[in-house]
Amino acid sequence: MNAPGRVEPIIRIRAVTRAYPMGDTEVLALKGVSLDILSGEMTAIIGRSGSGKTTMLNVLAGLDRPTSGEVWFKDQRVDLLNERDLLRLRQEHFGFVFQSFGLLPLLSAAENIGIPLRIRQLAREEREQRVQEALEWVGLTKRSKHRPYEMSGGEQQRVALARALAAQPELILADEPTGQLDSHIGRQIIDLLQRIVREREMTVVVITHDPQVIAEADTIYELRDGALFDSQKVYG
Ligand code: ADP
Ligand code: MG
């Protein structure tokens, strides 16, 4: 990819609202949010519990639809896609990492990483190659046959990262990826996220309370009660 591509927004969110019905009334989880996620950056989204961070990530990733407003992935209107196209968009372009790792307990590390590739019906050889490469990249080649309960939290999260990477997405979306880890173990995950941006030229969006992640992010946005603050401008 050439240099100018790295400053293009990969995601553009315009005047997005998301209202959840609540009895006779509604909760407005996002109140007209606009932002750009720049390609080749690590963007952190911070904010208190209940401020709308997960709602934002879901809308951004096409896991949820905004009540109003627009979500763009490059030149595509995500909020207008049908379920089938949304699924394909997520499978082919987005990788997900969650606080609780989300690994299937009865499957080995390698099998967990391979599942999304099976779902996409990639050829066996291609799958095996991608799984090995991803395991190697997160430093867990020797753990390939281990099940989640045989691994530490940090190792499980590295498997989850490998699973996201193996799909070769353009954008990795992580919701509190270090939330269940000790800070020194969390550090390894942050270092990997950084290397994903620097060495693999992917874009990373992290929802986080972790000061270590915030310190490493290229751009920081803060959500307060469903509205967006550009923290670097607010506090910088
Ligand atoms: P955060 O991730 O920052 O903790 P969320 O995006 O999960 O915040 O939630 C934002 C607001 O929307 C909260 O007030 C929450 O209670 C509400 N909310 C989230 N999901 C739902 C839902 N499915 N139904 C009703 N209200 C919801
Ligand atoms: Mg949340």
Side-chain angles (χ1 to χ4, degrees), residues 154-215:
E155 286 168 341
Q156 290 181 57
Q157 193 61 303
R158 278 150 67 196
V159 173
L161 257 182
R163 179 181 54 191
L165 278 175
Q168 300 178 352
E170 289 174 72
L171 180 63
I172 296 217
L173 300 147
D175 195 344
E176 301 275 8
T178 62
Q180 288 190 9
L181 304 174
D182 290 342
S183 67
H184 70 285
I185 301 293
R187 182 77 237 176
Q188 299 173 355
I189 301 300
I190 299 161
D191 289 345
L192 283 171
L193 288 171
Q194 267 200 308
R195 285 183 52 211
I196 286 171
V197 172
R198 309 275 177 256
E199 294 173 21
R200 305 194 60 140
E201 302 193 342
M202 292 179 186
T203 305
V204 171
V205 178
V206 196
I207 288 179
T208 193
H209 291 290
D210 186 341
Q212 296 190 102
V213 183
I214 297 165

Short mmCIF file of all heavy atoms in Angstrom, two decimals, residues 154-215:
data_model
loop_
_atom_site.label_atom_id
_atom_site.label_comp_id
_atom_site.label_asym_id
_atom_site.label_seq_id
_atom_site.Cartn_x
_atom_site.Cartn_y
_atom_site.Cartn_z
N GLY A 154 -3.59 -14.49 29.21
CA GLY A 154 -2.81 -13.77 28.20
C GLY A 154 -2.62 -14.61 26.94
O GLY A 154 -2.72 -14.11 25.82
N GLU A 155 -2.38 -15.91 27.15
CA GLU A 155 -2.21 -16.80 25.99
C GLU A 155 -3.52 -16.95 25.22
O GLU A 155 -3.54 -16.95 23.99
CB GLU A 155 -1.69 -18.17 26.44
CG GLU A 155 -0.22 -18.13 26.85
CD GLU A 155 0.25 -19.37 27.58
OE1 GLU A 155 -0.60 -20.13 28.10
OE2 GLU A 155 1.47 -19.57 27.65
N GLN A 156 -4.62 -17.06 25.97
CA GLN A 156 -5.92 -17.18 25.30
C GLN A 156 -6.21 -15.93 24.46
O GLN A 156 -6.73 -16.02 23.35
CB GLN A 156 -7.04 -17.38 26.32
CG GLN A 156 -6.99 -18.74 26.99
CD GLN A 156 -8.13 -18.91 27.98
OE1 GLN A 156 -9.30 -18.79 27.63
NE2 GLN A 156 -7.79 -19.18 29.22
N GLN A 157 -5.86 -14.78 25.02
CA GLN A 157 -6.11 -13.56 24.25
C GLN A 157 -5.20 -13.49 23.02
O GLN A 157 -5.60 -12.97 21.98
CB GLN A 157 -5.96 -12.30 25.14
CG GLN A 157 -6.50 -11.01 24.54
CD GLN A 157 -7.99 -11.07 24.24
OE1 GLN A 157 -8.47 -11.93 23.51
NE2 GLN A 157 -8.74 -10.13 24.82
N ARG A 158 -3.99 -14.03 23.13
CA ARG A 158 -3.12 -14.08 21.95
C ARG A 158 -3.69 -15.02 20.89
O ARG A 158 -3.57 -14.75 19.70
CB ARG A 158 -1.69 -14.48 22.35
CG ARG A 158 -0.92 -13.27 22.89
CD ARG A 158 0.11 -13.65 23.92
NE ARG A 158 1.21 -14.43 23.38
CZ ARG A 158 2.06 -15.14 24.12
NH1 ARG A 158 1.94 -15.16 25.44
NH2 ARG A 158 3.03 -15.81 23.56
N VAL A 159 -4.32 -16.11 21.32
CA VAL A 159 -4.99 -16.99 20.36
C VAL A 159 -6.13 -16.23 19.68
O VAL A 159 -6.32 -16.31 18.46
CB VAL A 159 -5.52 -18.28 21.05
CG1 VAL A 159 -6.37 -19.10 20.08
CG2 VAL A 159 -4.37 -19.12 21.57
N ALA A 160 -6.87 -15.47 20.49
CA ALA A 160 -7.99 -14.70 19.92
C ALA A 160 -7.46 -13.69 18.90
O ALA A 160 -8.07 -13.48 17.84
CB ALA A 160 -8.77 -14.00 21.03
N LEU A 161 -6.33 -13.08 19.20
CA LEU A 161 -5.72 -12.14 18.24
C LEU A 161 -5.27 -12.87 16.98
O LEU A 161 -5.47 -12.38 15.86
CB LEU A 161 -4.49 -11.49 18.88
CG LEU A 161 -4.62 -10.07 19.38
CD1 LEU A 161 -3.29 -9.58 19.93
CD2 LEU A 161 -5.06 -9.15 18.25
N ALA A 162 -4.69 -14.06 17.18
CA ALA A 162 -4.26 -14.86 16.02
C ALA A 162 -5.46 -15.22 15.15
O ALA A 162 -5.37 -15.19 13.92
CB ALA A 162 -3.54 -16.11 16.50
N ARG A 163 -6.58 -15.54 15.79
CA ARG A 163 -7.79 -15.87 15.04
C ARG A 163 -8.24 -14.68 14.20
O ARG A 163 -8.62 -14.82 13.04
CB ARG A 163 -8.90 -16.30 16.02
CG ARG A 163 -10.22 -16.65 15.33
CD ARG A 163 -11.29 -17.04 16.33
NE ARG A 163 -11.45 -16.00 17.34
CZ ARG A 163 -12.14 -16.14 18.46
NH1 ARG A 163 -12.75 -17.27 18.73
NH2 ARG A 163 -12.24 -15.14 19.31
N ALA A 164 -8.18 -13.48 14.80
CA ALA A 164 -8.55 -12.28 14.05
C ALA A 164 -7.58 -12.05 12.90
O ALA A 164 -7.98 -11.73 11.78
CB ALA A 164 -8.58 -11.07 14.98
N LEU A 165 -6.29 -12.24 13.16
CA LEU A 165 -5.26 -11.99 12.15
C LEU A 165 -5.33 -12.96 10.98
O LEU A 165 -5.10 -12.57 9.83
CB LEU A 165 -3.87 -12.16 12.77
CG LEU A 165 -3.30 -10.99 13.54
CD1 LEU A 165 -1.98 -11.43 14.15
CD2 LEU A 165 -3.10 -9.80 12.62
N ALA A 166 -5.65 -14.21 11.27
CA ALA A 166 -5.64 -15.25 10.24
C ALA A 166 -6.65 -14.95 9.14
O ALA A 166 -6.49 -15.38 8.00
CB ALA A 166 -5.93 -16.61 10.87
N ALA A 167 -7.68 -14.20 9.48
CA ALA A 167 -8.67 -13.82 8.48
C ALA A 167 -8.15 -12.71 7.57
O ALA A 167 -8.80 -12.34 6.60
CB ALA A 167 -9.96 -13.37 9.17
N GLN A 168 -6.95 -12.18 7.89
CA GLN A 168 -6.32 -11.10 7.14
C GLN A 168 -7.27 -9.91 6.91
O GLN A 168 -7.51 -9.49 5.78
CB GLN A 168 -5.75 -11.63 5.82
CG GLN A 168 -4.71 -12.70 6.08
CD GLN A 168 -4.13 -13.32 4.80
OE1 GLN A 168 -4.60 -13.06 3.71
NE2 GLN A 168 -3.11 -14.14 4.96
N PRO A 169 -7.82 -9.40 8.02
CA PRO A 169 -8.76 -8.29 7.91
C PRO A 169 -8.02 -6.97 7.69
O PRO A 169 -6.81 -6.90 7.87
CB PRO A 169 -9.44 -8.28 9.28
CG PRO A 169 -8.36 -8.73 10.21
CD PRO A 169 -7.54 -9.74 9.43
N GLU A 170 -8.76 -5.96 7.31
CA GLU A 170 -8.16 -4.62 7.21
C GLU A 170 -8.27 -3.89 8.54
O GLU A 170 -7.48 -3.00 8.83
CB GLU A 170 -8.88 -3.82 6.13
CG GLU A 170 -8.56 -4.34 4.74
CD GLU A 170 -9.38 -3.65 3.70
OE1 GLU A 170 -9.12 -2.47 3.42
OE2 GLU A 170 -10.30 -4.30 3.16
N LEU A 171 -9.29 -4.25 9.30
CA LEU A 171 -9.60 -3.54 10.54
C LEU A 171 -9.78 -4.54 11.66
O LEU A 171 -10.52 -5.51 11.51
CB LEU A 171 -10.89 -2.75 10.32
CG LEU A 171 -11.45 -1.91 11.44
CD1 LEU A 171 -10.48 -0.79 11.81
CD2 LEU A 171 -12.78 -1.31 11.03
N ILE A 172 -9.09 -4.30 12.78
CA ILE A 172 -9.29 -5.14 13.97
C ILE A 172 -10.00 -4.31 15.02
O ILE A 172 -9.59 -3.18 15.32
CB ILE A 172 -7.94 -5.66 14.50
CG1 ILE A 172 -7.34 -6.58 13.44
CG2 ILE A 172 -8.11 -6.34 15.87
CD1 ILE A 172 -6.60 -7.78 13.91
N LEU A 173 -11.10 -4.85 15.54
CA LEU A 173 -11.92 -4.16 16.53
C LEU A 173 -11.82 -4.91 17.84
O LEU A 173 -12.12 -6.10 17.90
CB LEU A 173 -13.37 -4.15 16.05
CG LEU A 173 -13.55 -3.42 14.71
CD1 LEU A 173 -14.65 -4.06 13.90
CD2 LEU A 173 -13.82 -1.97 14.93
N ALA A 174 -11.37 -4.22 18.88
CA ALA A 174 -11.13 -4.89 20.16
C ALA A 174 -11.90 -4.16 21.26
O ALA A 174 -11.72 -2.96 21.45
CB ALA A 174 -9.64 -4.90 20.46
N ASP A 175 -12.77 -4.91 21.96
CA ASP A 175 -13.57 -4.34 23.04
C ASP A 175 -12.95 -4.75 24.38
O ASP A 175 -13.05 -5.90 24.78
CB ASP A 175 -15.02 -4.83 22.94
CG ASP A 175 -15.97 -4.00 23.82
OD1 ASP A 175 -15.49 -3.27 24.71
OD2 ASP A 175 -17.19 -4.11 23.61
N GLU A 176 -12.24 -3.84 25.02
CA GLU A 176 -11.56 -4.09 26.31
C GLU A 176 -10.65 -5.31 26.26
O GLU A 176 -10.76 -6.21 27.12
CB GLU A 176 -12.59 -4.26 27.44
CG GLU A 176 -13.52 -3.08 27.64
CD GLU A 176 -12.93 -2.00 28.54
OE1 GLU A 176 -11.73 -2.10 28.91
OE2 GLU A 176 -13.65 -1.05 28.85
N PRO A 177 -9.73 -5.39 25.31
CA PRO A 177 -8.94 -6.62 25.14
C PRO A 177 -8.02 -6.94 26.31
O PRO A 177 -7.61 -8.08 26.47
CB PRO A 177 -8.11 -6.35 23.88
CG PRO A 177 -8.00 -4.86 23.80
CD PRO A 177 -9.31 -4.34 24.35
N THR A 178 -7.71 -5.94 27.13
CA THR A 178 -6.83 -6.20 28.28
C THR A 178 -7.61 -6.17 29.59
O THR A 178 -7.03 -6.24 30.67
CB THR A 178 -5.67 -5.18 28.35
OG1 THR A 178 -6.23 -3.86 28.52
CG2 THR A 178 -4.84 -5.18 27.08
N GLY A 179 -8.94 -6.08 29.49
CA GLY A 179 -9.78 -5.88 30.66
C GLY A 179 -9.70 -6.99 31.70
O GLY A 179 -9.94 -6.76 32.88
N GLN A 180 -9.39 -8.23 31.26
CA GLN A 180 -9.33 -9.35 32.21
C GLN A 180 -7.91 -9.79 32.49
O GLN A 180 -7.69 -10.88 33.01
CB GLN A 180 -10.12 -10.54 31.65
CG GLN A 180 -11.62 -10.32 31.69
CD GLN A 180 -12.40 -11.59 31.37
OE1 GLN A 180 -11.84 -12.66 31.28
NE2 GLN A 180 -13.70 -11.45 31.20
N LEU A 181 -6.94 -8.96 32.11
CA LEU A 181 -5.54 -9.38 32.25
C LEU A 181 -4.79 -8.48 33.22
O LEU A 181 -5.07 -7.29 33.32
CB LEU A 181 -4.86 -9.32 30.87
CG LEU A 181 -5.52 -10.13 29.75
CD1 LEU A 181 -4.84 -9.85 28.42
CD2 LEU A 181 -5.50 -11.61 30.06
N ASP A 182 -3.80 -9.06 33.91
CA ASP A 182 -2.88 -8.24 34.71
C ASP A 182 -2.16 -7.28 33.79
O ASP A 182 -1.96 -7.58 32.62
CB ASP A 182 -1.82 -9.13 35.39
CG ASP A 182 -2.43 -9.99 36.49
OD1 ASP A 182 -3.55 -9.66 36.93
OD2 ASP A 182 -1.81 -10.99 36.87
N SER A 183 -1.71 -6.15 34.36
CA SER A 183 -1.19 -5.11 33.48
C SER A 183 0.05 -5.55 32.71
O SER A 183 0.22 -5.20 31.55
CB SER A 183 -0.94 -3.81 34.24
OG SER A 183 0.10 -4.00 35.15
N HIS A 184 0.90 -6.37 33.32
CA HIS A 184 2.10 -6.78 32.58
C HIS A 184 1.77 -7.78 31.47
O HIS A 184 2.44 -7.83 30.45
CB HIS A 184 3.20 -7.31 33.51
CG HIS A 184 2.88 -8.63 34.14
ND1 HIS A 184 1.97 -8.77 35.17
CD2 HIS A 184 3.34 -9.87 33.87
CE1 HIS A 184 1.89 -10.05 35.51
NE2 HIS A 184 2.71 -10.74 34.74
N ILE A 185 0.71 -8.54 31.65
CA ILE A 185 0.25 -9.45 30.59
C ILE A 185 -0.49 -8.64 29.51
O ILE A 185 -0.32 -8.87 28.31
CB ILE A 185 -0.69 -10.53 31.16
CG1 ILE A 185 0.02 -11.36 32.24
CG2 ILE A 185 -1.22 -11.43 30.06
CD1 ILE A 185 1.16 -12.21 31.73
N GLY A 186 -1.27 -7.68 29.98
CA GLY A 186 -1.95 -6.78 29.05
C GLY A 186 -0.97 -6.10 28.12
O GLY A 186 -1.24 -5.90 26.94
N ARG A 187 0.19 -5.78 28.67
CA ARG A 187 1.24 -5.12 27.89
C ARG A 187 1.60 -5.92 26.63
O ARG A 187 1.83 -5.36 25.56
CB ARG A 187 2.48 -4.95 28.80
CG ARG A 187 3.66 -4.26 28.21
CD ARG A 187 3.43 -2.77 28.16
NE ARG A 187 3.56 -2.32 26.79
CZ ARG A 187 3.33 -1.06 26.41
NH1 ARG A 187 2.94 -0.14 27.27
NH2 ARG A 187 3.47 -0.73 25.16
N GLN A 188 1.65 -7.26 26.77
CA GLN A 188 1.98 -8.10 25.61
C GLN A 188 0.92 -7.96 24.52
O GLN A 188 1.23 -7.95 23.33
CB GLN A 188 2.04 -9.58 26.01
CG GLN A 188 3.10 -9.90 27.04
CD GLN A 188 3.00 -11.35 27.51
OE1 GLN A 188 2.09 -12.08 27.13
NE2 GLN A 188 3.94 -11.76 28.35
N ILE A 189 -0.33 -7.86 24.95
CA ILE A 189 -1.43 -7.72 23.98
C ILE A 189 -1.33 -6.36 23.29
O ILE A 189 -1.49 -6.24 22.07
CB ILE A 189 -2.80 -7.88 24.69
CG1 ILE A 189 -2.92 -9.25 25.36
CG2 ILE A 189 -3.95 -7.64 23.72
CD1 ILE A 189 -2.80 -10.44 24.42
N ILE A 190 -1.03 -5.33 24.08
CA ILE A 190 -0.89 -3.99 23.50
C ILE A 190 0.26 -3.95 22.50
O ILE A 190 0.14 -3.39 21.41
CB ILE A 190 -0.66 -2.95 24.61
CG1 ILE A 190 -1.85 -2.93 25.57
CG2 ILE A 190 -0.44 -1.55 24.02
CD1 ILE A 190 -1.54 -2.30 26.91
N ASP A 191 1.38 -4.59 22.88
CA ASP A 191 2.52 -4.63 21.96
C ASP A 191 2.14 -5.32 20.65
O ASP A 191 2.53 -4.88 19.57
CB ASP A 191 3.71 -5.36 22.61
CG ASP A 191 4.35 -4.53 23.72
OD1 ASP A 191 4.07 -3.31 23.80
OD2 ASP A 191 5.12 -5.10 24.52
N LEU A 192 1.37 -6.40 20.76
CA LEU A 192 0.94 -7.10 19.54
C LEU A 192 0.01 -6.21 18.71
O LEU A 192 0.13 -6.16 17.49
CB LEU A 192 0.25 -8.42 19.89
CG LEU A 192 1.18 -9.57 20.31
CD1 LEU A 192 0.37 -10.74 20.84
CD2 LEU A 192 2.04 -10.03 19.12
N LEU A 193 -0.90 -5.51 19.38
CA LEU A 193 -1.82 -4.62 18.64
C LEU A 193 -1.02 -3.55 17.90
O LEU A 193 -1.29 -3.23 16.75
CB LEU A 193 -2.83 -3.97 19.59
CG LEU A 193 -3.92 -4.90 20.15
CD1 LEU A 193 -4.72 -4.19 21.23
CD2 LEU A 193 -4.85 -5.38 19.03
N GLN A 194 -0.01 -3.02 18.58
CA GLN A 194 0.85 -2.01 17.94
C GLN A 194 1.60 -2.57 16.75
O GLN A 194 1.71 -1.93 15.71
CB GLN A 194 1.88 -1.53 18.96
CG GLN A 194 1.44 -0.31 19.70
CD GLN A 194 2.66 0.36 20.29
OE1 GLN A 194 3.45 -0.29 20.96
NE2 GLN A 194 2.82 1.63 20.01
N ARG A 195 2.11 -3.79 16.93
CA ARG A 195 2.84 -4.41 15.81
C ARG A 195 1.91 -4.71 14.65
O ARG A 195 2.32 -4.67 13.49
CB ARG A 195 3.53 -5.69 16.28
CG ARG A 195 4.78 -5.41 17.13
CD ARG A 195 5.48 -6.70 17.52
NE ARG A 195 5.74 -7.53 16.35
CZ ARG A 195 5.78 -8.87 16.36
NH1 ARG A 195 5.58 -9.53 17.49
NH2 ARG A 195 6.02 -9.55 15.26
N ILE A 196 0.65 -5.01 14.96
CA ILE A 196 -0.33 -5.25 13.89
C ILE A 196 -0.46 -3.99 13.03
O ILE A 196 -0.52 -4.06 11.81
CB ILE A 196 -1.69 -5.66 14.50
CG1 ILE A 196 -1.60 -7.10 15.01
CG2 ILE A 196 -2.82 -5.50 13.50
CD1 ILE A 196 -2.81 -7.54 15.82
N VAL A 197 -0.47 -2.84 13.69
CA VAL A 197 -0.58 -1.57 12.97
C VAL A 197 0.71 -1.27 12.21
O VAL A 197 0.69 -0.94 11.02
CB VAL A 197 -0.93 -0.42 13.94
CG1 VAL A 197 -0.85 0.93 13.26
CG2 VAL A 197 -2.31 -0.63 14.54
N ARG A 198 1.84 -1.37 12.91
CA ARG A 198 3.11 -0.94 12.32
C ARG A 198 3.64 -1.90 11.26
O ARG A 198 4.17 -1.49 10.25
CB ARG A 198 4.18 -0.78 13.40
CG ARG A 198 3.77 0.05 14.58
CD ARG A 198 3.97 1.56 14.37
NE ARG A 198 3.47 2.26 15.55
CZ ARG A 198 2.30 2.92 15.60
NH1 ARG A 198 1.54 3.02 14.53
NH2 ARG A 198 1.91 3.50 16.71
N GLU A 199 3.54 -3.21 11.56
CA GLU A 199 4.20 -4.18 10.68
C GLU A 199 3.24 -4.78 9.66
O GLU A 199 3.66 -5.18 8.59
CB GLU A 199 4.81 -5.33 11.51
CG GLU A 199 5.95 -4.86 12.39
CD GLU A 199 6.44 -5.95 13.34
OE1 GLU A 199 6.20 -7.14 13.08
OE2 GLU A 199 7.05 -5.58 14.36
N ARG A 200 1.97 -4.88 10.00
CA ARG A 200 1.03 -5.54 9.09
C ARG A 200 0.12 -4.53 8.41
O ARG A 200 -0.74 -4.90 7.62
CB ARG A 200 0.22 -6.59 9.83
CG ARG A 200 1.17 -7.58 10.52
CD ARG A 200 0.53 -8.82 10.99
NE ARG A 200 -0.08 -9.61 9.95
CZ ARG A 200 -0.03 -10.94 9.90
NH1 ARG A 200 0.63 -11.61 10.79
NH2 ARG A 200 -0.66 -11.59 8.95
N GLU A 201 0.31 -3.26 8.77
CA GLU A 201 -0.43 -2.17 8.13
C GLU A 201 -1.93 -2.35 8.20
O GLU A 201 -2.66 -2.03 7.29
CB GLU A 201 0.05 -1.97 6.68
CG GLU A 201 1.54 -1.68 6.63
CD GLU A 201 2.01 -1.18 5.27
OE1 GLU A 201 1.28 -1.38 4.29
OE2 GLU A 201 3.09 -0.58 5.23
N MET A 202 -2.37 -2.91 9.32
CA MET A 202 -3.80 -2.98 9.56
C MET A 202 -4.21 -1.79 10.43
O MET A 202 -3.36 -1.08 10.98
CB MET A 202 -4.16 -4.27 10.29
CG MET A 202 -3.95 -5.51 9.45
SD MET A 202 -4.36 -7.00 10.39
CE MET A 202 -3.85 -8.26 9.24
N THR A 203 -5.49 -1.59 10.55
CA THR A 203 -6.04 -0.52 11.38
C THR A 203 -6.66 -1.17 12.61
O THR A 203 -7.27 -2.23 12.50
CB THR A 203 -7.11 0.24 10.58
OG1 THR A 203 -6.51 0.68 9.35
CG2 THR A 203 -7.65 1.44 11.34
N VAL A 204 -6.44 -0.55 13.77
CA VAL A 204 -6.95 -1.14 15.02
C VAL A 204 -7.81 -0.11 15.75
O VAL A 204 -7.41 1.05 15.89
CB VAL A 204 -5.78 -1.60 15.92
CG1 VAL A 204 -6.27 -2.00 17.30
CG2 VAL A 204 -5.01 -2.75 15.27
N VAL A 205 -8.98 -0.53 16.18
CA VAL A 205 -9.82 0.29 17.06
C VAL A 205 -9.97 -0.46 18.37
O VAL A 205 -10.39 -1.63 18.38
CB VAL A 205 -11.23 0.53 16.45
CG1 VAL A 205 -12.10 1.33 17.41
CG2 VAL A 205 -11.11 1.25 15.11
N VAL A 206 -9.60 0.19 19.46
CA VAL A 206 -9.66 -0.45 20.77
C VAL A 206 -10.56 0.34 21.70
O VAL A 206 -10.35 1.54 21.90
CB VAL A 206 -8.28 -0.50 21.47
CG1 VAL A 206 -8.30 -1.50 22.61
CG2 VAL A 206 -7.19 -0.82 20.50
N ILE A 207 -11.52 -0.32 22.28
CA ILE A 207 -12.28 0.26 23.38
C ILE A 207 -11.54 -0.10 24.64
O ILE A 207 -11.18 -1.26 24.84
CB ILE A 207 -13.69 -0.35 23.46
CG1 ILE A 207 -14.52 0.16 22.30
CG2 ILE A 207 -14.34 -0.02 24.79
CD1 ILE A 207 -15.89 -0.41 22.32
N THR A 208 -11.28 0.87 25.50
CA THR A 208 -10.43 0.55 26.64
C THR A 208 -10.53 1.54 27.78
O THR A 208 -10.88 2.70 27.59
CB THR A 208 -8.96 0.46 26.17
OG1 THR A 208 -8.19 -0.15 27.20
CG2 THR A 208 -8.39 1.81 25.83
N HIS A 209 -10.23 1.03 28.99
CA HIS A 209 -10.00 1.90 30.15
C HIS A 209 -8.51 1.88 30.49
O HIS A 209 -8.09 2.51 31.43
CB HIS A 209 -10.72 1.35 31.38
CG HIS A 209 -12.20 1.44 31.31
ND1 HIS A 209 -12.87 2.64 31.38
CD2 HIS A 209 -13.14 0.49 31.17
CE1 HIS A 209 -14.16 2.39 31.29
NE2 HIS A 209 -14.35 1.11 31.15
N ASP A 210 -7.75 1.06 29.78
CA ASP A 210 -6.38 0.75 30.16
C ASP A 210 -5.45 1.91 29.79
O ASP A 210 -5.26 2.21 28.62
CB ASP A 210 -5.97 -0.54 29.43
CG ASP A 210 -4.62 -1.06 29.84
OD1 ASP A 210 -3.82 -0.27 30.40
OD2 ASP A 210 -4.35 -2.24 29.60
N PRO A 211 -4.85 2.56 30.80
CA PRO A 211 -3.96 3.70 30.51
C PRO A 211 -2.81 3.33 29.59
O PRO A 211 -2.33 4.15 28.82
CB PRO A 211 -3.42 4.11 31.89
CG PRO A 211 -4.26 3.43 32.89
CD PRO A 211 -4.92 2.26 32.23
N GLN A 212 -2.38 2.06 29.66
CA GLN A 212 -1.29 1.60 28.79
C GLN A 212 -1.69 1.65 27.32
O GLN A 212 -0.89 1.96 26.46
CB GLN A 212 -0.89 0.16 29.11
CG GLN A 212 -0.31 -0.05 30.49
CD GLN A 212 0.26 -1.46 30.60
OE1 GLN A 212 1.45 -1.66 30.52
NE2 GLN A 212 -0.61 -2.45 30.77
N VAL A 213 -2.93 1.27 27.04
CA VAL A 213 -3.41 1.30 25.64
C VAL A 213 -3.55 2.75 25.20
O VAL A 213 -3.14 3.13 24.10
CB VAL A 213 -4.79 0.61 25.48
CG1 VAL A 213 -5.21 0.60 24.02
CG2 VAL A 213 -4.76 -0.80 26.03
N ILE A 214 -4.14 3.56 26.09
CA ILE A 214 -4.40 4.97 25.75
C ILE A 214 -3.08 5.66 25.41
O ILE A 214 -2.99 6.43 24.45
CB ILE A 214 -5.13 5.66 26.92
CG1 ILE A 214 -6.51 4.98 27.12
CG2 ILE A 214 -5.30 7.16 26.66
CD1 ILE A 214 -7.18 5.31 28.43
N ALA A 215 -2.02 5.33 26.17
CA ALA A 215 -0.72 5.95 25.94
C ALA A 215 -0.15 5.60 24.56
O ALA A 215 0.60 6.38 23.99
CB ALA A 215 0.26 5.52 27.03
#
